[in-house]
Each structure stands twice: as structure tokens, then as C-alpha cells.
Amino acid sequence: MVNNQEFSERLSLIMRHYGLTSSSFAERIGVQRSSISHLLSGRNKPSLDFVLKVLKEFPEVSLYWLMNGVGNFPNKDQKEIKQNPSSSSSEPRNSPEENIAETPANNLAPHTNTLDELAAKEIERIVILYKDGTFKNYSP
């Protein structure tokens, strides 16, 4: 579960890093200024739509760092891609959804598991994310 105060501190750090006010940050990711104000004060928790907009606009922000404080900011992998002159700017960037799918969670192995390994694992829950920002949570 997201701790509102810690999330607001990480959000403030992102704005300071990019030299943005809460108004300019809101404009840049396409949300209302009041949304930023409510998040910074701890009144509201971030929506999935909000988090995805931040990840899309600021590739140096890691999902796990933003939500849980785990990892580094700025994300070193994305920073190296930007600074590496041999990288072609025409190469497509992964969408936030692809980054999420490729990033291993706390105790989960990367997606290189064999079928036997996967069959031996027990499913805790399945979450389906819709493009409109809603989701469905299924538990066995």
C-alpha cells in the first residue's frame, strides 16, 4: 500500500529535479493543478492513470521507486540510454506498461521461468488493467 506522505516526498523530489512548480508539473503530465496539490498534501492517493502519466513523461522515474521508494532516482538505466551517443534517437522507447512487465517484483523471478517452474507456483491474484485507468482484481 502506498504511504501518502512518502509518495508526496518522492513527487516533490521529481519536481525539484526537473525544476518544476506544481502548476508546471501538472501541465506537463496533463492533470489538473488541484490533483498535484491534493497528492502533495497527502489528501489523495495517486491513481493508476496519474502514475502512468508520470512514468511516460519522465523516463528516469522508476515505478518501484515512485510507489515504494525502492530503487534509485533518477533511474540509472534510463539515464545511460539518454547519455549514450551511440543510441539512435529513432529507437522506440518502452511504454510504461512494457517497463512494468519486464521489471521483477520483490520475490518474483524475471519472466524467463520454464513452464515447469511456472506450474509449480501458486497464483495469489490476477489484476487486469484497462486503458481507461480502471482495473479488475481477481483472487482464487
Side-chain angles (χ1 to χ4, degrees), residues 1-17 25 40 61-70 73:
M1 181 165 268
V2 177
N3 180 317
N4 287 6
Q5 182 177 356
E6 292 173 1
F7 180 85
S8 67
E9 290 169 6
R10 289 189 291 274
L11 193 58
S12 294
L13 183 62
I14 293 168
M15 291 188 306
R16 281 195 307 273
H17 177 79
F25 183 82
L40 290 173
V61 176
S62 156
L63 171 66
Y64 290 108
W65 176 82
L66 180 61
M67 298 304 294
N68 303 315
V70 176
F73 174 73

Side-chain angles (χ1 to χ4, degrees), residues 47-113:
S47 67
L48 175 60
D49 185 50
F50 177 85
V51 170
L52 291 176
K53 286 179 179 185
V54 171
L55 296 176
K56 183 177 180 182
E57 185 63 30
F58 303 101
E60 290 95 358
V61 176
S62 156
L63 171 66
Y64 290 108
W65 176 82
L66 180 61
M67 298 304 294
N68 303 315
V70 176
N72 297 310
F73 174 73
N75 185 351
K76 293 177 184 173
D77 294 336
Q78 292 294 334
K79 196 173 186 180
E80 289 172 10
I81 289 170
K82 279 188 149 185
Q83 292 177 350
N84 186 350
S86 63
S87 293
S88 170
S89 61
S90 64
E91 290 178 11
R93 278 198 173 158
N94 286 353
S95 70
E97 293 87 353
E98 289 170 329
N99 290 337
I100 292 167
E102 293 175 3
T103 307
N106 296 339
N107 296 328
L108 300 177
H111 62 285
T112 57
N113 295 336

Side-chain angles (χ1 to χ4, degrees), residues 23 25-33 35-36 49-50 53:
S23 295
F25 183 82
E27 186 176 314
R28 189 152 166 194
I29 65 170
V31 299
Q32 294 182 3
R33 285 179 263 166
S35 299
I36 304 299
D49 185 50
F50 177 85
K53 286 179 179 185

